[in-house]
Amino acid sequence: MSAGERATLDRWVVRRDHQAFAQLVERHGSRVHAMCRRMLQDATEAEDVTQECFEKLAQHGGAIHAEGVGPWLYRVAANMCLKRLRSEGRRREREQ
């Protein structure tokens, strides 16, 4: 993780600086959303997952260490997308 990104994350985690959080969203939001859209093939679901990822970042940002905010967010987003896809698959099976 770059020193600048670490400083921005620390400003959010330690001081709850809303500008720092906005910078993280601005820096990573479009890429996280694009990945979710590719995985889910649904813009609305992708928006929901993207928002949930940043909610997790807001709650658990202090748990991010050397890997960096971007990789952490992408891993969380991928896991959330896969969970939604599995859930949707199970729902479709039950309906049939």
Side-chain angles (χ1 to χ4, degrees):
M1 174 177 344
S2 72
E5 182 141 293
R6 169 51 66 191
T8 304
L9 181 61
D10 287 345
R11 282 183 19 232
W12 167 250
V13 171
V14 175
R15 292 183 262 163
R16 291 299 192 211
D17 180 343
H18 294 279
Q19 287 181 329
F21 191 77
Q23 287 175 349
L24 292 170
V25 172
E26 184 177 324
R27 189 175 299 148
H28 299 287
S30 62
R31 284 180 279 182
V32 170
H33 184 259
M35 185 188 74
C36 292
R37 251 188 110 150
R38 281 191 305 274
M39 289 184 73
L40 297 171
Q41 300 294 307
D42 183 317
T44 305
E45 286 289 316
E47 184 65 33
D48 290 346
V49 170
T50 301
Q51 289 179 8
E52 290 173 22
C53 289
F54 282 98
E55 287 174 13
K56 285 190 179 288
L57 175 63
Q59 296 168 357
H60 305 291
I64 300 172
H65 299 291
E67 69 183 312
V69 176
W72 184 88
L73 278 169
Y74 305 136
R75 188 183 71 231
V76 168
N79 288 339
M80 292 176 83
C81 287
L82 291 171
K83 183 178 178 180
R84 285 193 183 219
L85 290 169
R86 282 191 301 268
S87 177
E88 178 64 20
R90 286 191 297 267
R91 184 190 63 78
R92 285 185 184 153
E93 285 179 14
R94 283 192 305 269
E95 287 177 355
Q96 291 177 4

